[in-house]
Amino acid sequence: MTDRYQQFASSGLGRQIVRRLGLPNPTPLRRYKPGDPALNGPALVGAAEGGRLSETLHAVLKSAGIEALTEPLTAPEGERVTHAALVFDATGIDRPERLRELYDFFHPVIRTVGTCGRVVVLGTPPESADGRAAIAQRALEGFTRSVGKELKRGATIQLGYVAPGAEAASESTLRFLLSARSAYVDAQVIRIGTHATTTAEPDDWTMPLDGKVALVTGASRGIGASIADVLARDGAHVVALDVPAQGDELSAVANRVKGTSLQLDITAADAPARLVKHLTERHGGVDIVVHNAGITRDKTLGNMKDSAWDAVLAVNLASQLAINDALLEAGALRENGRIIGVSSIAGIAGNVGQTNYATSKAGVIGMVDTYAPLLAERGATINAVAPGFIETKMTAAVPLFIREAGRRMNSMSQGGLPVDVAETIAWYANPGSAAVNGNIVRVCGQSLLGA
Ligand code: NAD
């Protein structure tokens, strides 16, 4: 799907018209390409006094090849200074009066964030802090979400809540948030916890999934095909699953990623057992399960047939629970395993004509909440992405006016690409993300829908 408006707005004439009329001006986003540097410039790092993360931050930036500055760059009068990233350790803020330290750090430099730059605020999960400190840490969310709305030119901000004791487990998340892999993730709140029993940092951060087996459902096209591409690029053997009717497209994807294909309707009564058999007999188990297959059957509730309700709930939720249970019961999910759900902002905000879909996608969030402690006990994790408007066949079918609204009503003024969802899933899948459990991260460019 091409975004013709974005193409027009980045042309010479288009740029002038867009500026004169004050129209949305979507910046082409920088996306990860193997071999690219993590950031295309230095990161300015600051901290509130008493913060816990300075040492970790500097070590991670060094290992990711990012130059860390502790003083802002300066330039001769009239020249513009840019920082590729601003990172602020706010864990030291122990009472609301000290929130002023956010202002003091960011106010002089916020306008120096470069095109597709990154801003990361790090805090302590309010539930792990006491009294006034918890209030101050909770306040970081409002700051982050507002800065997200003010940043221009494809820049993003995120808030990472790092639990005390989880400092060393934050590398995979910091690398993701600072890189072009998180291009369409904006104003999200991510929790890094201490439940991880295994920390397995990859030997090679460019091939973090080397030796892993990843099952991707609905892999024959759209977002699923992109997930297969990205997980394979990162080193995984991908088992690409889709319904038999998608057989040809499925084989093409499996061949492209040098993986294998499995034709299966995940709603079939024997699907969980067949899947467990396939994964254990052919691969000795599975490391990463991505529940991407999903359908829509849109109608307002009064016009909706019960078959449309049942089909959506079966594919988008019930089959996933049955598969999880069968994999866990058989012990087929290996040590440091990952289950990753695909929710939707419709599951957070609700949507007209999508009572069935939004119910199923909110159910995916419930699945993450419920399974997270069970998986933590087994040294595994479960998380989900909640995509916003992503350019796929699904969204190409949306009527033009609604499609345009969906594309522009976010801080990036554009739709995301399947690869943006796939990169976020690859971050969850990374063996170094063992401390990331129970999260729902929206891949929506800070859509106005879903807060
Ligand atoms: P898509 O329709 O292009 O792909 C979905 C795939 O799932 C298809 O290949 C389909 O054959 C497969 N599938 C459906 N039922 C199945 C079953 N019973 N067994 C096995 N496979 C089955 O959709 P997409 O846009 O790529 O969406 C992928 C996921 O992302 C879905 O879960 C969707 O709800 C979610 N999502 C998409 C968007 C978006 O903007 N496109 C937004 C939010 C969430």
Side-chain angles (χ1 to χ4, degrees), residues 419-438:
V419 71
D420 299 325
V421 180
E423 294 284 10
T424 309
I425 287 173
W427 155 63
Y428 283 142
N430 191 309
S433 300
V436 180
N437 189 25

Side-chain angles (χ1 to χ4, degrees), residues 5 50 152 167 180 210 330 343 426 437:
Y5 175 82
K152 301 266 178 342
E167 295 81 6
D210 197 21
S343 180
N437 189 25

